[in-house]
Amino acid sequence: AQSVTQLDSQVPVFEEAPVELRCNYSSSVSVYLFWYVQYPNQGLQLLLKYLSGSTLVKGINGFEAEFNKSQTSFHLRKPSVHISDTAEYFCAVSLRFSGGYNKLIFGAGTRLAVHP
Amino acid sequence: SAVISQKPSRDICQRGTSLTIQCQVDSQVTMMFWYRQQPGQSLTLIATANQGSEATYESGFVIDKFPISRPNLTFSTLTVSNMSPEDSSIYLCSVDDGEVAGELFFGEGSRLTVL
């Protein structure tokens, strides 16, 4: 069975500091990997995705993530965070079904709190 | 990309009542998904709704409790039936517009509080 583990439920960090949010997945088949962000009282917004090719993917708002197949990880990083990055971040695995559609399995989420 | 509108954005309901949430998409999509996000929790898939067929429910969710309609390619509803306080959650509609593999688009969610 496929699953997603986000190792940190909360990550406090000071403004302009670097941050890494960790994500590990388990799957017996190839998957697509995603990071979504949820700002307070809003829906989910896609940050970045890994489908194939280069293992380092860049997303919006200066975020990037690296796919590591041997470690089954897809950690999210940002070299310098801003107060506005305070949000909940979800790692997700996409399963491709024979009907041609995708089902997303989400991790438990990591709450990033950026302090001045 | 797809733009999704959900109604209501929030509601306070009494125990034992039912509420229907509407999801409208600005383009035709084959697959729509309904997720639940309980307070402080991650998202859990309730069901997948394909136009013209019965919705497919995930383990732990049943049609009697969460009936879904999908009358056309741009619209779906989710009803939360006979509500209890445990149903207090954010319910999110999402779609796969088929353009980019694996990317889903989400509505802003419907926040239900059951008293």
Side-chain angles (χ1 to χ4, degrees):
Chain A
Q2 288 76 13
S3 66
V4 180
T5 303
Q6 291 184 244
L7 297 163
D8 307 296
S9 60
Q10 295 186 61
V11 174
V13 63
F14 288 108
E15 194 172 19
E16 298 183 4
V19 70
E20 178 179 81
L21 307 184
R22 297 179 292 169
C23 173
N24 287 87
Y25 69 93
S26 65
S27 175
S28 58
V29 298
S30 296
V31 297
Y32 300 141
L33 295 160
F34 302 83
W35 277 98
Y36 282 84
V37 60
Q38 185 178 35
Y39 297 104
N41 299 313
Q42 294 189 27
L44 273 73
Q45 179 182 3
L46 180 69
L47 266 182
L48 48 78
K49 57 183 178 282
Y50 172 79
L51 306 181
S52 65
S54 173
T55 57
L56 182 64
V57 292
K58 295 187 183 298
I60 62 172
N61 301 339
F63 283 93
E64 64 181 31
E66 186 158 17
F67 170 60
N68 187 318
K69 188 175 182 179
S70 63
Q71 297 186 3
T72 60
S73 67
F74 190 55
H75 300 332
L76 180 71
R77 303 186 185 102
K78 186 170 182 177
S80 176
V81 295
H82 191 268
I83 295 284
S84 60
D85 293 322
T86 295
E88 189 86 19
Y89 292 79
F90 293 98
C91 182
V93 166
S94 173
L95 309 177
R96 188 79 176 176
F97 285 80
S98 58
Y101 67 89
N102 305 284
K103 184 168 82 170
L104 280 185
I105 306 298
F106 286 88
T110 297
R111 182 169 299 276
L112 177 64
V114 182
H115 302 284
Chain B
S1 64
V3 178
I4 302 165
S5 303
Q6 276 187 243
K7 286 194 290 188
S9 58
R10 59 179 64 232
D11 206 340
I12 299 174
C13 307
Q14 296 298 318
R15 182 195 298 260
T17 63
S18 299
L19 182 78
T20 296
I21 302 166
Q22 299 179 4
C23 177
Q24 180 74 51
V25 189
D26 69 341
S27 58
Q28 294 186 341
V29 294
T30 302
M31 304 305 302
M32 296 179 77
F33 304 88
W34 286 98
Y35 283 86
R36 180 175 74 181
Q37 187 179 21
Q38 293 177 301
Q41 308 271 332
S42 185
L43 283 78
T44 302
L45 182 63
I46 297 171
T48 303
N50 192 1
Q51 192 267 337
S53 63
E54 293 277 340
T56 301
Y57 288 83
E58 297 298 303
S59 174
F61 297 96
V62 295
I63 188 171
D64 289 346
K65 176 67 175 177
F66 297 102
I68 289 171
S69 77
R70 183 76 203 277
N72 57 52
L73 290 173
T74 64
F75 188 78
S76 178
T77 67
L78 169 76
T79 299
V80 186
S81 303
N82 188 24
M83 286 185 284
S84 67
E86 292 71 33
D87 294 319
S88 296
S89 292
I90 301 173
Y91 293 85
L92 295 118
C93 171
S94 73
V95 305
D96 178 351
D97 71 356
E99 291 192 5
V100 176
E103 180 175 354
L104 297 189
F105 297 90
F106 286 83
E108 294 198 345
S110 299
R111 183 183 296 270
L112 301 188
T113 302
V114 184
L115 303 178

